[in-house]
Amino acid sequence: MTSFKEFADACETIEGIASSLEMTTVVSSLLRRISESGDPDTELAIVSRFIMGRVFPDWSDFELGVGPSLLYDAISRASGLQVLRIKQLVRETGDVGETAKVALEKGDEASKAQTTFLDFAGAGGTAPEAGQTITIADVFERMNSIAHASGKGSQQTKVKHLQYLFGTTSPVESKYLARIVLEELRIGVGEGIVRDAIAEAFGEDVGAVERAYMLINDLGEVCVTALHHDLDAVAIRIGRPIKLMLAQLGSFNDITTVYAIEWKFDGTRVQIHKDRDHVRIFSRRLEDVTNSLPDIVKLVKSKITANQAILDGEVVAVGDDGKPLAFQEILKRFRRKYDISAMVQKIPLYLNLFDIMYLDRVSLIDEDLYTRRARLEGIVEPHEKFSVAEQVLTDDPAVAHAVYRAALDAGHEGVMLKNPDSVYSPGKRGKNWLKVKPIMETLDLIVVGADWGEGRRANLIGSYLLACYDADTGEFLEIGRVGTGITDEQLSELTELFSQYIISEVGSAIELKPAVVFEIAYEELQKSKHYASGYALRFPRLVRVRFDKTPEDADSVERVERLAGGGRGL
Ligand code: AMP
């Protein structure tokens, strides 16, 4: 059995090191030493997580549920110092770890002794004895009990477990214990170092360790598998989220051969696991969000014909006009813990599926996109709220651009360009998936004119004439018009705002006193003879009114020139 002290000593060593190579060596020798202990499987799994400041595997729903005040309470009880004094120490040291260490060093011996007489029955154990050493597995067991404590009296139980731990650990151990409890170890060891350390400790290939991690999402289990030299056997498991394949920025110039073009939907990613009647849904961060999405669960159960499948897709919240709602609306659905059915009605979700990683006991990640896509299409029954994302196969940038325009017009973000020959690479951001979105650098422009709307909007201003500022001459140089991105509500608010600045009107055209600055997003800046600035905005969209800016604070014609030069051609 390995003592927690051995772990704490390794942390102390690592804290004094800056080089990640050296850190890797310290972690790998710790792992090797533990592999020779009495129960390496249990201890290696725990330590691989503890060393990154995590208690439970990423895929697990367990949480300690211990906030700072509970922790201070426990340190106070174990050290005999008042909670106020603990808080003061936190302020002085800026670190709960140092606080725990100092508190236990300074702690008033008499009051500390008293803690041994406290009732530990609720914490499922006897009082710690002086000089007793605590093992890594003991610490984890206590943390497990803390995570499981629920209902009435659970706070009390948690504090008692923590008090027990702080009562048993030395000051140095308590430093790292306190930090792990808040899941902030702060020694600079992340996933990359643990991955390399596992490979180094057990003579395995880093790539093999990485692959296993991407598939089962738990470095603790990967570490134990590496010890047994069994990494090749690691496979996708239904119910355990795998890391998502990611995209990097691209442009239409990247289309040199056939690409699969799909809309880049403006929603949020989901990974769906279906195992007959059991459906689990994981978020972009691979957290289990099944309970918040009963509508999606139902659709998957009834519209996916396969017995078992792992699917990749994007859910979109749709408004009455069929366009995607703001991201915050989707968040409301994902975060909802109660009254979920009301929310399902209020914010309906639409699911676009675009990939499949597993089908009826067979992993598909090593198949190409053509094959995966065909499998996906074969198991989805169409439904009004549920579909396989449309895909266009083309090597023509103009065709891809047309899809892009259609996606933007529908209120989505742009397009994805996918290499149809590529495998599904979990956790990888590479060239096989490229995202193309509008350039988002905005311009702050002065409103110098406007036009009355038409039809039922004849009494509202429908579009605005924009200008940039020439500081040399003090002139406002026109650059384009904006009428998009303005909601109905904003249309009337803005009409009211601008009524005070109207200088003259000819037909539907209005001349305005330069007073208001708009922040404008656009897709491209083109050279133009039509406007005095020499440039025109393509697809401009109002982001917001910059009430904090005066016309002289608006962007200069020089900045426009710079942006036009630096723009990424489509
Ligand atoms: P970004 O978040 O800007 O890095 O873009 C990648 C994200 O686009 C993915 O994680 C998905 O959530 C989202 N996305 C939307 N539509 C698609 C699609 N058709 N294929 C892949 N990802 C998509």
Side-chain angles (χ1 to χ4, degrees), residues 343-383:
M343 216 39 158
V344 169
Q345 298 298 323
K346 202 165 159 213
I347 305 175
L349 296 180
Y350 189 100
L351 173 62
N352 299 286
L353 292 168
F354 51 73
D355 221 317
I356 179 163
M357 294 82 103
Y358 186 87
L359 175 62
D360 292 332
R361 293 174 181 273
V362 181
S363 164
L364 296 180
I365 60 169
D366 294 321
E367 302 289 341
D368 61 30
L369 180 57
Y370 290 114
T371 313
R372 299 200 307 277
R373 172 91 193 177
R375 295 275 188 286
L376 178 61
E377 285 172 357
I379 60 159
V380 178
E381 277 181 21
H383 181 270

Side-chain angles (χ1 to χ4, degrees), residues 244-249 261-270 284 312-316 352-355 389-390 412-416 418 429 433 435 437:
L244 297 166
M245 182 159 173
L246 303 167
Q248 72 181 36
L249 263 181
I261 320 291
E262 296 169 8
W263 281 12
K264 186 178 187 306
F265 300 101
D266 185 7
T268 189
R269 190 94 173 250
V270 282
R284 169 84 173 73
D312 200 350
E314 183 96 351
V315 285
V316 178
N352 299 286
L353 292 168
F354 51 73
D355 221 317
E390 273 185 44
H412 290 283
E413 286 180 3
V415 284
M416 303 290 299
K418 297 183 179 174
R429 191 183 292 286
W433 281 18
K435 52 186 173 186
K437 305 196 267 189

Side-chain angles (χ1 to χ4, degrees), residues 236-241 270-282 290 296-312 351 353 355-362 376 378-381 386:
I236 292 183
R237 286 177 216 158
I238 199 116
R240 172 77 65 90
V270 282
Q271 186 179 108
I272 300 171
H273 290 232
K274 177 183 188 225
D275 188 3
R276 294 191 165 77
D277 255 359
H278 298 281
V279 173
R280 289 183 76 187
I281 306 177
F282 301 93
T290 315
I296 304 288
V297 170
K298 198 169 151 206
L299 280 175
V300 171
K301 274 190 196 166
S302 60
K303 300 293 167 196
I304 295 289
T305 55
N307 283 328
Q308 288 185 319
I310 301 182
L311 307 160
D312 200 350
L351 173 62
L353 292 168
D355 221 317
I356 179 163
M357 294 82 103
Y358 186 87
L359 175 62
D360 292 332
R361 293 174 181 273
V362 181
L376 178 61
I379 60 159
V380 178
E381 277 181 21
F386 185 70

Side-chain angles (χ1 to χ4, degrees), residues 242-254:
I242 67 176
K243 297 269 184 193
L244 297 166
M245 182 159 173
L246 303 167
Q248 72 181 36
L249 263 181
S251 82
F252 293 111
N253 297 332
D254 293 309

